[in-house]
Amino acid sequence: MMSVTTSQAVQRESWDGDTPASGRLLQPGLDVTHGQILYLDDISVSFDGFRALNRLSLSIGVGELRCIIGPNGAGKTTMMDVITGKTRADSGSAFFGQTINLAQHSEAEIAQLGIGRKFQKPTVFEAMTVQENLELALAGPRSVWASLRARLTGQQRDRIDELLTLIRLGEQRARQAGLLSHGQKQWLEIGMLLAQQPQLLLLDEPVAGMTDAETEKTAELLLTLKGRHSLMVVEHDMDFIASIAGKVTVLAEGAVLAEGTLAQVQADERVIEVYLGR
Amino acid sequence: MQTALSLRLAHRIGPLPLKLAGAAILALLLAMPALHVWTDPASSLHVSAYTLTLVGKILCYAIVALAMDLVWGYTGLLSLGHGLFFALGGYGMGMYLMRAIGHDGNYQSELPDFMVFLDWKTLPWFWQGSEHLAWALCLAVGVPGLLALVFGWLAFRSRIKGVYFSIMTQALTYAAMLLFFRNETGFGGNNGFTDFKRILGYGIAAPGTRATLFLLTVLLLVAALAAGFWLVNSKFGRILTAIRDAESRLMFCGYNPLYYKLFIWVASAMLCGLAGALYVPQVGIINPGEMSPANSIEIAIWVAVGGRGSLIGPVLGAGFINAAKSWFTVAFPEYWLFFLGGLFIATTLFLPRGLLGLLRRHKEKA
Ligand SMILES: Nc1ncnc2c1ncn2[C@@H]1O[C@H](COP(=O)(O)OP(=O)(O)OP(=O)(O)O)[C@@H](O)[C@H]1O
Ligand SMILES: [Mg+2]
């Protein structure tokens, strides 16, 4: 199949929140002919006989911001593990664009293909400074040889400055990441994702442990990313979801239970049941 | 920008008193071989062959500790088999030294004595070329490097980590020790190699030879420190600490940890091999005891006591423990292991950053 670049694919020169349309949405080579960036089809995963994912099918559109909700243990994190190559599906398939079969790639390759992931428990390199964390994440060659010769270019410095402003950690740039607050670590991790310039971002509970003000800022940030990137956001915080959501998917017992606007799914009998019935 | 960089460098090398202490120690180390060669043995300034050999040996250990720290302190891979790489380097050099004995052995044969004793008529294939020092040095560096490459590839590719990795390295050195204990293996069995006579035609015990070997060891240590400093302050070095602290985060940033681990693991093994090659002509013996699991554990203790995750810490640790050991084994030989164990437990409990951490803390309070 030929790869097709859609009209939304604009090479990004600069990064600022005011011009959402200038994002580099697509890397050459990713085929999104049908407007979908991620397809999960009939995926099952079992842990010692327990079905964490049960014939899950889901797809995410290009530039979409999709929220995933569901009770604890519904399989949300496991789904992200499958997409990013951490866990292998027992059956079913996961495609990035029309042509890239994710099952054939390692974690590092999938990240290089353009899928970034934020962990449920914020994970940054604690012994390094905030700036060094971003430097490591910056898109670029990943070989040992390149790392031995790496020097920051002026362009990369500018990019780091932009990211620091975006994640509101400019003042903390020289601070050791381990000393940041929980919310700041969440932001740093989001900044690291953006530094990778992924096309698809998977965010596992990005506002857990944040203050209300921080949560609000995060919602603003995600809304500016929408359109330039495709996003999948797992959250339990319904107010936060309400502030960002277009489409919401409800997972329960490893499968999609309902899909629609937040109001629609909240009115759905079965959804109410899984939330109240546990 | 320029000043910021030099400030940063100065900060990383350490505060002034530490730098001065380092320079003084280096000057002293450079003076020792000169004092050994050029002063009268009766003079109070004279450095005896015993002292020079002892310090030279400890310097070799310091290099091993540094190599160990690059994989353990920085990358988080606790190897309990680094003694094997050191011993293999020693054996590589030992092969040359055995060949250099020539006809001066007990049996006055072309072959090393132990081969005559085993009634072997020709050199085994793997001894070919060992009469050349250059080839022996290639073996001393290449064999540990190759073994590390194969072992590392298998272990890291299967994502073996933590205590499983440590146990495998320990098993590896143990298996090698058993192999080298066998006479048929072709390395002198449990006696190993000894009774060396000369190196490049110079008497092995001549003051000039001792002084040269000692100087080379100092040079290697300084070069290893400089290379280590450059490495850990490069992006590569930061990726190593990232592997140690959050390997999965690194993978999801698009890095494949396999090659980074493999690179530092092999480099570390090769450095140990070089240290072993300098060690054997100075102490005059190499045998399979060097591969015993306890030796490798001791290396880890030097690093832990000195302070892992720094370059100077392991050097300090190796120096301090081995100086203490040489005193203890004369004064109270039976208590040495208790002391070592106690020291290890005490540092683990009270000095997580080792002796270096203690020095730095002292400095910060002052
Ligand atoms: N490695 C594993 N081994 C065994 N069971 C696992 C493993 N990973 C996940 N599970 C189980 O699979 C189920 C789904 O877990 P998952 O973490 O995907 O849920 P989740 O929807 O992310 O929940 P939460 O909202 O609590 O984060 C849980 O019951 C969990 O215990
Ligand atoms: Mg989860």
Side-chain angles (χ1 to χ4, degrees):
Chain A
M1 212 181 281
M2 283 285 295
S3 57
V4 177
T5 348
T6 72
S7 59
Q8 291 151 298
V10 187
Q11 195 66 37
R12 185 185 49 244
E13 316 274 52
S14 69
W15 178 293
D16 56 81
D18 303 331
T19 52
S22 69
R24 187 188 66 172
L25 195 54
L26 298 170
Q27 279 166 1
L30 187 67
D31 178 355
V32 289
T33 331
H34 297 289
Q36 304 292 309
I37 193 162
L38 180 76
Y39 296 85
L40 302 180
D41 187 33
D42 210 22
I43 289 193
S44 295
V45 172
S46 301
F47 296 112
D48 311 318
F50 172 78
R51 284 210 155 193
L53 292 182
N54 190 8
R55 312 198 59 177
L56 172 76
S57 297
L58 187 93
S59 67
I60 306 283
V62 173
E64 183 182 350
L65 194 174
R66 173 75 62 89
C67 290
I68 311 279
I69 61 173
N72 294 112
K76 304 178 297 290
T77 300
T78 307
M79 174 177 69
M80 291 195 170
D81 288 345
V82 169
I83 299 168
T84 54
K86 187 171 179 223
T87 300
R88 296 290 162 194
D90 299 333
S91 63
S93 62
F95 274 80
F96 186 41
Q98 300 289 312
T99 52
I100 299 172
N101 183 353
L102 292 172
Q104 293 168 353
H105 296 276
S106 69
E107 293 99 318
E109 285 166 355
I110 291 173
Q112 286 178 30
L113 284 168
I115 300 183
R117 170 180 191 178
K118 197 201 82 60
F119 292 95
Q120 181 162 349
K121 176 179 176 293
T123 312
V124 294
F125 305 122
E126 309 229 329
M128 287 177 222
T129 65
V130 168
Q131 168 155 355
E132 286 169 339
N133 269 273
L134 291 173
E135 275 176 40
L136 268 199
L138 272 189
R142 288 328 197 203
S143 70
V144 172
W145 179 239
S147 77
L148 286 168
R149 315 186 24 136
R151 285 274 164 279
L152 269 196
T153 63
Q155 219 174 0
Q156 286 173 320
R157 265 178 228 287
D158 295 346
R159 176 100 178 91
I160 288 174
D161 290 343
E162 287 166 25
L163 284 168
L164 283 169
T165 317
L166 194 67
I167 59 174
R168 297 162 207 276
L169 289 177
E171 313 257 285
Q172 322 277 340
R173 65 189 307 157
R175 200 144 175 244
Q176 209 179 314
L179 302 175
L180 298 178
S181 74
H182 193 82
Q184 288 173 324
K185 281 185 195 170
Q186 298 270 41
W187 269 343
L188 176 55
E189 199 177 358
I190 294 173
M192 289 166 72
L193 287 199
L194 297 176
Q196 274 170 259
Q197 305 191 329
Q199 290 159 280
L200 174 62
L201 282 91
L202 310 177
L203 304 173
D204 203 347
E205 306 197 9
V207 298
M210 283 190 182
T211 62
D212 287 350
E214 287 174 329
T215 302
E216 212 171 290
K217 300 286 183 206
T218 308
E220 274 171 37
L221 172 61
L222 296 193
L223 286 172
T224 67
L225 298 177
K226 176 179 168 180
R228 290 192 276 174
H229 301 263
S230 312
L231 296 107
M232 181 194 264
V233 181
V234 165
E235 250 311 332
H236 287 293
D237 181 336
M238 289 302 162
D239 295 334
F240 172 74
I241 304 255
S243 66
I244 60 169
K247 196 166 165 187
V248 175
T249 299
V250 185
L251 287 196
E253 292 173 6
V256 174
L257 183 68
E259 222 163 52
T261 64
L262 184 59
Q264 281 169 348
V265 299
Q266 275 178 328
D268 191 310
E269 287 295 328
R270 292 166 306 163
V271 175
I272 295 168
E273 198 174 313
V274 297
Y275 270 96
L276 297 179
R278 66 195 158 93
Chain B
M1 215 68 247
Q2 207 60 49
T3 44
L5 185 71
S6 52
L7 266 179
R8 207 161 130 144
L9 270 179
H11 177 73
R12 288 217 169 135
I13 293 174
L16 192 65
L18 266 187
K19 263 186 283 187
L20 287 179
I25 290 173
L26 184 63
L28 189 68
L29 288 175
L30 291 174
M32 283 182 67
L35 292 174
H36 174 61
V37 176
W38 286 312
T39 57
D40 187 76
S43 131
S44 60
L45 280 177
H46 183 71
V47 172
S48 67
Y50 172 80
T51 309
L52 197 69
T53 306
L54 178 67
V55 177
K57 183 171 102 172
I58 294 178
L59 288 174
C60 290
Y61 290 155
I63 297 168
V64 174
L66 179 60
M68 168 78 173
D69 192 38
L70 287 173
V71 295
W72 184 26
Y74 285 93
T75 321
L77 301 162
L78 171 55
S79 163
L80 293 178
H82 255 48
L84 173 58
F85 302 131
F86 177 72
L88 287 174
Y91 268 99
M93 179 59 119
M95 287 165 83
Y96 165 75
L97 295 171
M98 289 303 275
R99 298 293 300 281
I101 296 172
H103 291 274
D104 296 338
N106 286 332
Y107 297 105
Q108 275 125 48
S109 160
E110 182 72 20
L111 295 181
D113 276 358
F114 75 89
M115 292 190 193
V116 180
F117 188 74
L118 287 173
D119 210 17
W120 290 3
K121 301 294 180 227
T122 52
L123 278 179
W125 62 268
F126 47 87
W127 276 76
Q128 299 301 326
S130 57
E131 68 274 23
H132 303 293
L133 178 59
W135 175 242
L137 281 174
C138 288
L139 289 178
V141 179
V143 171
L146 200 66
L147 179 66
L149 184 70
V150 173
F151 177 86
W153 172 259
L154 295 173
F156 302 144
R157 210 188 40 152
S158 324
R159 304 200 176 169
I160 291 168
K161 284 178 207 163
V163 76
Y164 300 99
F165 179 77
S166 304
I167 290 171
M168 279 177 62
T169 54
Q170 179 99 116
L172 183 71
T173 192
Y174 186 62
M177 179 179 76
L178 295 183
L179 182 71
F180 274 67
F181 264 132
R182 292 162 46 96
N183 285 328
E184 302 76 42
T185 309
F187 294 100
N190 56 355
N191 295 320
F193 303 153
T194 189
D195 289 332
F196 309 130
K197 301 277 191 270
R198 60 186 75 86
I199 180 167
L200 289 176
Y202 299 98
I204 195 94
T209 313
R210 286 190 193 281
T212 309
L213 288 167
F214 185 94
L215 273 180
L216 286 173
T217 313
V218 175
L219 278 183
L220 181 62
L221 177 59
V222 171
L225 278 171
F229 182 81
W230 174 75
L231 211 58
V232 303
N233 286 308
S234 70
K235 183 177 173 194
F236 177 81
R238 267 180 274 134
I239 293 174
L240 295 186
T241 58
I243 292 176
R244 178 193 67 192
D245 294 341
E247 186 169 351
S248 56
R249 172 75 271 162
L250 190 73
M251 280 196 287
F252 292 120
C253 284
Y255 294 90
N256 187 345
L258 170 65
Y259 301 110
Y260 290 88
K261 288 184 189 172
L262 211 51
F263 183 96
I264 197 66
W265 175 247
V266 171
S268 170
M270 289 165 71
L271 185 57
C272 286
L274 257 187
L278 281 168
Y279 170 86
V280 168
Q282 296 188 76
V283 302
I285 184 167
I286 175 79
N287 62 38
E290 296 289 346
M291 297 177 184
S292 80
N295 270 29
S296 292
I297 293 174
E298 218 171 291
I299 297 172
I301 297 180
W302 304 338
V303 175
V305 169
R308 63 199 154 102
S310 69
L311 293 171
I312 297 298
V315 174
L316 275 182
F320 171 72
I321 294 185
N322 286 294
K325 184 179 186 174
S326 63
W327 179 75
F328 254 94
T329 43
V330 175
F332 318 97
E334 61 274 34
Y335 294 116
W336 166 243
L337 282 178
F338 292 103
F339 173 76
L340 184 65
L343 188 68
F344 181 56
I345 293 169
T347 27
T348 314
L349 290 179
F350 305 114
L351 293 176
R353 287 161 66 218
L355 290 175
L356 192 69
L358 188 69
L359 281 181
R360 286 195 175 142
R361 201 161 65 189
H362 202 70
K363 183 78 204 23
E364 277 156 24
K365 271 192 195 150

